[in-house]
Amino acid sequence: METLPDSKRSRPGWYKTKQNKKNATKGQRRALKDLYPVWGIRMDYGEQFDLERIEKEFKRQAPTTLDIGFGTGATLVEMAKNDPGRNFIGIDWHAPGVGKALLEIKNSAVTNVRIICADAVTFLKLNVKLNPIFDTISVYFPDPWSRAQDHQQQQLRLLRKSFVTLASHSLVKGGLIHIATDVIDYVPPSIRLLKDALFTPHSTASADGIIPRPSWRPVTIYEQKGIDAGREVTDLLFVRPDSPIDAVFTEEIQLVDALAPTGAISDGESEGSEDAFEVDFDE
């Protein structure tokens, strides 16, 4: 099993704050403890996540969407409710948001949603391991980390070469990546990254991969805030390349590991152990 390169990981303050379950409300903490075993997927560090595991979790074979950064889970649950023939896996490492999402699932009674509390890039790299298993990857309103003068913030963007490469290998042939953002400066670099990774615009998209806002995509909380502030929302839809480019794991991905480790919940420093990915929501 692959081990972390450094025995001790240094985490920036914002990561510790978001990961710390003590920031969740009492109801969210109860949901993390009681509902994650029902609708959550627990993964050991480096454990293989494949089609067989998806079939085991959902007890069926069906197209599967990986929704990255689901926020409160309301949009994820709404999409699942509107498309019962599809599996939805939401991944996010914000513990309070995961608690909210679990409550959304419980209250809606949908059965085709599962949650993973983890860093998406690390999950794709160390658990999916370049296996084509997802029909669609959706990324709605990712944090743009837009302070251009801050190099570290730029490195924290989800949409980077490392992620796009991992996504291309994790999608089945003909699979789609769907991105929505209300940050206009985020659009051109995203298009360049996808095209450089040999993704092609969907047949319904413009030459730059831009599509009209899909009626089936629910309006997210962040989207509504952008609309209220007068910002324009852009949807990008691209198709996975027939032959994804080689995945060379450079310092860029190692930096992601250092900044956003796999341990989903932690109150401080963590050791790079084999069970670092496992989520512990117990008191």
Side-chain angles (χ1 to χ4, degrees):
M1 184 175 291
E2 186 175 358
T3 57
L4 295 174
D6 302 316
S7 61
K8 195 165 187 176
R9 320 306 292 273
S10 178
R11 304 182 183 192
W14 61 264
Y15 186 85
K16 296 177 187 177
T17 300
K18 281 202 169 187
Q19 290 290 49
N20 194 337
K21 62 180 178 289
K22 293 178 182 178
N23 290 292
T25 66
K26 185 176 180 179
Q28 291 163 4
R29 287 165 61 84
R30 186 180 299 112
L32 290 168
K33 183 177 180 181
D34 297 340
L35 302 182
Y36 198 88
V38 181
W39 291 294
I41 298 176
R42 292 179 179 267
M43 297 293 298
D44 288 333
Y45 187 83
E47 179 185 355
Q48 181 72 57
F49 190 83
D50 52 20
L51 288 172
E52 183 178 346
R53 179 64 182 269
I54 292 176
E55 184 176 350
K56 178 181 177 182
E57 293 290 342
F58 290 94
K59 297 180 175 56
R60 66 175 184 176
Q61 293 180 343
T64 300
T65 290
L66 179 69
D67 185 41
I68 298 176
F70 51 74
T72 65
T75 296
L76 173 64
V77 169
E78 186 68 20
M79 291 191 300
K81 189 186 302 183
N82 294 336
D83 195 353
R86 174 178 292 271
N87 300 330
F88 288 85
I89 297 175
I91 183 165
D92 203 311
W93 48 263
H94 183 207
V98 171
K100 288 181 181 179
L102 291 167
L103 291 171
E104 286 278 353
I105 296 171
K106 177 185 178 182
N107 294 334
S108 68
V110 294
T111 60
N112 57 329
V113 181
R114 298 293 183 273
I115 298 294
I116 299 176
C117 186
D119 170 61
V121 173
T122 310
F123 169 71
L124 291 177
K125 177 189 173 187
L126 298 182
N127 298 91
V128 178
K129 299 179 181 178
L130 309 183
N131 286 306
I133 60 175
F134 299 115
D135 176 76
T136 301
I137 293 178
S138 57
V139 184
Y140 298 147
F141 304 93
D143 193 327
W145 297 100
S146 54
R147 286 190 293 175
Q149 73 277 14
D150 190 329
H151 178 69
Q152 187 184 61
Q153 281 218 358
Q154 293 295 300
Q155 292 297 318
L156 289 171
R157 281 186 170 185
L158 174 64
L159 292 179
R160 299 181 314 282
K161 182 177 179 180
S162 56
F163 168 73
V164 172
T165 302
L166 288 166
S168 68
H169 285 268
S170 303
L171 286 164
V172 300
K173 189 172 182 179
L176 304 175
I177 184 166
H178 183 196
I179 300 164
T181 181
D182 64 347
V183 180
I184 193 64
D185 292 340
Y186 205 51
V187 175
S190 298
I191 294 171
R192 284 197 303 271
L193 280 169
L194 290 164
K195 288 188 173 183
D196 287 348
L198 305 183
F199 278 83
T200 56
H202 190 263
S203 59
T204 61
S206 71
D208 285 332
I210 299 173
I211 60 171
R213 189 196 184 285
S215 59
W216 49 262
R217 179 174 66 73
V219 177
T220 74
I221 293 175
Y222 303 104
E223 180 177 11
Q224 190 59 56
K225 288 181 179 179
I227 293 172
D228 293 342
R231 293 193 293 271
E232 181 180 352
V233 174
T234 301
D235 280 78
L236 302 175
L237 189 63
F238 280 79
V239 182
R240 191 210 87 158
D242 289 339
S243 300
I245 61 175
D246 291 339
V248 178
F249 295 133
T250 63
E251 290 298 321
E252 186 182 3
I253 290 184
Q254 293 175 13
L255 176 63
V256 172
D257 288 341
L259 293 175
T262 51
I265 299 296
S266 175
D267 295 338
E269 303 299 318
S270 70
E271 297 296 322
S273 61
E274 290 185 351
D275 62 351
F277 199 94
E278 188 172 352
V279 183
D280 182 8
F281 293 124
D282 293 334
E283 297 293 343

